[in-house]
Amino acid sequence: MTPSRRCFSAPGKALLAGGYLVLDPENSSFVTALSARIYAVTAPTPSLDSTLPTVTVLSPQFQEGEWSYTVCRSPTTGFVSLPAITPDRRNPFVQSAIASVINYLSATGTLQTPLPSLTMTILSDNAYHSQPSDAVPRFNKHPLPITEVPKTGLGSSAALTTSLVAALLSFYGDMNTDAAETKIILHNLAQLAHCNAQGKVGSGFDVACAVFGSIVYRRFQPSIISSLPPTPTSSAAEALYLLSLKNVIEADWNVGTRACSVPRRMRLLMGDVSGGSETPAMVQMVLRWRKDGGESASAVWTALGKANEKLIAAMIALGEQAAKDPKAYDAFVDEVLKVGASGVAQLGHSNGGRTGELFVQVVDAIVEIRHNLRGMTAGSGAQIEPVEQTKLLDACSALPGVLGGVVPGAGGYDAVCLLVAEAAVDAIAEQTEGVFENVKWLELREEATGVREEDMLVIEEFL
Ligand SMILES: Nc1ncnc2c1ncn2[C@@H]1O[C@H](COP(=O)(O)OP(=O)(O)O)[C@@H](O)[C@H]1O
Ligand SMILES: C[C@@](O)(CCOP(=O)(O)OP(=O)(O)O)CC(=O)O
């Protein structure tokens, strides 16, 4: 093993509660980090003293997965531009991650000099992309470029950008990405790089989840990012740009990133639904309805916000209760295994004390969220919980061990997400397979940890 190699990884996401409302910094959302991760391995590239340093990113699972840049640093201003050595190839997320980190380190005066050349190799878990069969090897290779392989909607660009930013901060800035203050810088840089690459300021829940793991997320004010001047074209502008970049990255973004997770013995069950939806088009329809839909739209929006808050509070309280009164909690979960969601609500009302009460709140909140998402669907015309998903979610909610289910994120024909008792998973799969042909339960589960350094020994064999 090359001793200087290091590996950083970041997780994918599911937005359990907060689709659309998360675009407004007033609202909280519940974001779950998933077991599918993207890994970035750093290795110094031997280079000649006389040549300019280069940064190369390899993504060997995809055809044409190589992007190389020369690092040109202005001796007067310190601004770094990155002309592509492979100009016919584009990967805006890769380029943007490198540019943001190197310029930030340059602005803070901590960029390593002379700058060594670097190669980063990306490995991405199979769950991010549709696979030809279930029996593919880990980190399966595709016979197509990345842009042509269908995605599953787990937030590959956010996990990629975050793992690259962590790798770059550690390689070029010698920063400990585990330290709390570095994680905030990492988050802000990854958000900026992701927005620049996307060409728009998104809600950022996927990037925040890739950095911090499962969280109750509240967005930053978009003006923080849009206040940064455009990429400079003169020396005077370069100096100003670097100063602004440092200020923006080190400012208090006031994001909500409180850690949360699915309570023990419960599990998220993610179902891939064949179809697929266009998130940006749906966002446009919803925002238009929100703006022009008068009081009825406002009422649905407010009620959905309340239902989301209720679910968030109940999930957190239930996790605490599981630790505080494990006996009562375990006894209640054993009962949950015997009944469907409405049965859980009945049980919780009649007995179960505080634990029962909290289970009722979770079940009720999911019902309320779905009710309002259907109101949004009807009002906006965006197919957020389409009728097919209503049928699927209703049928699943009646199965023993299921607390309820939602269409995660923007909703539509991408996925469903159930909250279930862990021990019921196999029975749920058995009872739904063949009945609902278009749902495929995924091997994914919550893994609440955000960006982290990996043991190189574990990843080495896949390189
Ligand atoms: N494993 C990977 N290797 C290289 N680039 C990747 C990888 N995964 C994602 N990307 C980048 O992210 C882009 C996909 O981003 P996007 O369309 O926003 O999808 P998502 O919703 O999964 O983030 C790809 O076209 C590529 O530029
Ligand atoms: C509508 C949204 O609030 C949530 C979309 O969540 P998804 O998980 O559906 O996201 P994509 O992977 O980008 O399709 C838009 C946003 O917050 O950016």
Side-chain angles (χ1 to χ4, degrees):
M1 185 177 89
T2 319
S4 49
R5 281 197 202 179
R6 291 175 73 179
C7 176
F8 297 83
S9 76
K13 52 69 188 173
L15 184 62
L16 199 59
Y20 305 97
L21 271 71
V22 66
L23 291 160
D24 181 344
E26 276 189 8
N27 296 319
S28 291
S29 56
F30 192 96
V31 197
T32 304
L34 299 173
S35 47
R37 301 183 78 89
I38 294 192
Y39 301 79
V41 175
T42 56
T45 322
S47 61
L48 302 171
D49 286 348
S50 56
T51 56
L52 284 172
T54 56
V55 179
T56 298
V57 171
L58 305 173
S59 191
Q61 290 162 273
F62 301 92
Q63 293 290 301
E64 300 166 22
E66 177 171 349
W67 303 273
S68 267
Y69 306 89
T70 308
V71 182
C72 301
R73 188 177 190 207
S74 156
T76 45
T77 65
F79 181 77
V80 176
S81 59
L82 294 167
I85 301 171
T86 43
D88 52 328
R89 308 256 175 93
R90 262 179 55 76
N91 192 325
F93 296 96
V94 163
Q95 176 153 21
S96 203
I98 302 169
S100 305
V101 175
I102 296 193
N103 273 308
Y104 170 70
L105 293 173
S106 182
T108 56
T110 53
L111 186 64
Q112 212 180 320
T113 46
L115 206 70
S117 290
L118 168 65
T119 299
M120 291 185 283
T121 305
I122 306 301
L123 292 174
S124 102
D125 273 333
N126 291 342
Y128 283 95
H129 293 93
S130 300
Q131 301 295 335
S133 84
D134 289 340
V136 292
R138 190 161 184 208
F139 304 125
N140 188 34
K141 286 197 160 73
H142 299 264
L144 294 168
I146 177 98
T147 46
E148 289 170 35
V149 180
K151 293 168 292 185
T152 53
L154 303 184
S156 61
S157 59
L160 170 83
T161 306
T162 301
S163 61
L164 287 178
V165 168
L168 287 157
L169 282 176
S170 117
F171 186 85
Y172 281 130
D174 198 21
M175 288 169 86
N176 169 14
T177 52
D178 269 349
E181 60 278 20
T182 308
K183 246 189 208 156
I184 294 170
I185 298 290
L186 196 171
H187 167 264
N188 297 357
L189 279 167
Q191 290 283 16
L192 176 71
H194 197 251
C195 288
N196 284 343
Q198 273 188 322
K200 68 170 199 297
V201 186
S203 76
F205 79 92
D206 45 1
V207 173
C209 176
V211 176
F212 297 109
S214 296
I215 48 173
V216 176
Y217 178 66
R218 211 174 11 77
R219 187 194 193 180
F220 51 87
Q221 292 292 342
S223 56
I224 292 188
I225 287 187
S226 48
S227 67
L228 195 66
T231 309
T233 49
S234 68
S235 298
E238 284 177 2
L240 183 68
Y241 178 86
L242 287 186
L243 191 64
S244 311
L245 176 66
K246 180 175 180 305
N247 288 340
V248 164
I249 295 303
E250 293 176 358
D252 179 2
W253 286 31
N254 192 24
V255 277
T257 59
R258 175 178 176 176
C260 64
S261 63
V262 173
R264 71 178 173 82
R265 293 191 63 194
M266 303 305 296
R267 207 187 122 169
L268 280 191
L269 190 55
M270 302 286 298
D272 183 17
V273 180
S274 51
S277 291
E278 279 301 319
T279 302
M282 290 171 71
V283 169
Q284 258 189 14
M285 288 169 92
V286 170
L287 294 182
R288 197 177 316 124
W289 160 82
R290 164 82 178 119
K291 196 163 147 267
D292 303 335
E295 270 181 30
S296 64
S298 270
V300 171
W301 190 269
T302 307
L304 181 55
K306 287 205 173 118
N308 288 339
E309 291 289 350
K310 182 167 164 176
L311 181 66
I312 293 167
M315 290 286 276
I316 290 174
L318 193 58
E320 288 166 1
Q321 184 67 12
K324 206 156 107 193
D325 191 353
K327 237 169 122 187
Y329 180 83
D330 285 330
F332 200 91
V333 175
D334 290 341
E335 295 306 310
V336 168
L337 285 166
K338 300 175 195 153
V339 293
S342 58
V344 173
Q346 269 173 20
L347 265 175
H349 279 302
S350 54
N351 60 20
R354 174 78 180 138
T355 302
E357 234 171 68
L358 293 172
F359 270 100
V360 174
Q361 282 173 26
V362 170
V363 171
D364 285 354
I366 293 175
V367 169
E368 286 162 33
I369 287 171
R370 286 190 53 205
H371 173 78
N372 287 297
L373 285 179
R374 288 195 297 273
M376 222 180 208
T377 306
S380 68
Q383 292 302 302
I384 300 165
E385 191 188 294
V387 63
E388 296 88 337
Q389 307 288 61
T390 300
K391 282 188 196 153
L392 176 61
L393 289 172
D394 284 348
C396 291
S397 303
L399 297 174
V402 180
L403 297 187
V406 292
V407 284
Y413 295 94
D414 284 334
V416 290
C417 180
L418 304 183
L419 184 60
V420 306
E422 173 113 60
V425 168
D426 289 346
I428 295 167
E430 249 165 55
Q431 283 164 285
T432 45
E433 257 159 37
V435 182
F436 293 97
E437 289 153 18
N438 60 353
V439 62
K440 190 169 160 260
W441 301 112
L442 303 172
E443 291 286 313
L444 289 171
R445 50 177 62 241
E446 178 187 44
E447 200 183 273
T449 323
V451 68
R452 67 175 179 224
E453 182 160 10
E454 300 285 342
D455 183 349
M456 250 330 281
L457 281 173
V458 176
I459 218 76
E460 179 79 11
E461 64 170 300
F462 299 103
L463 292 171

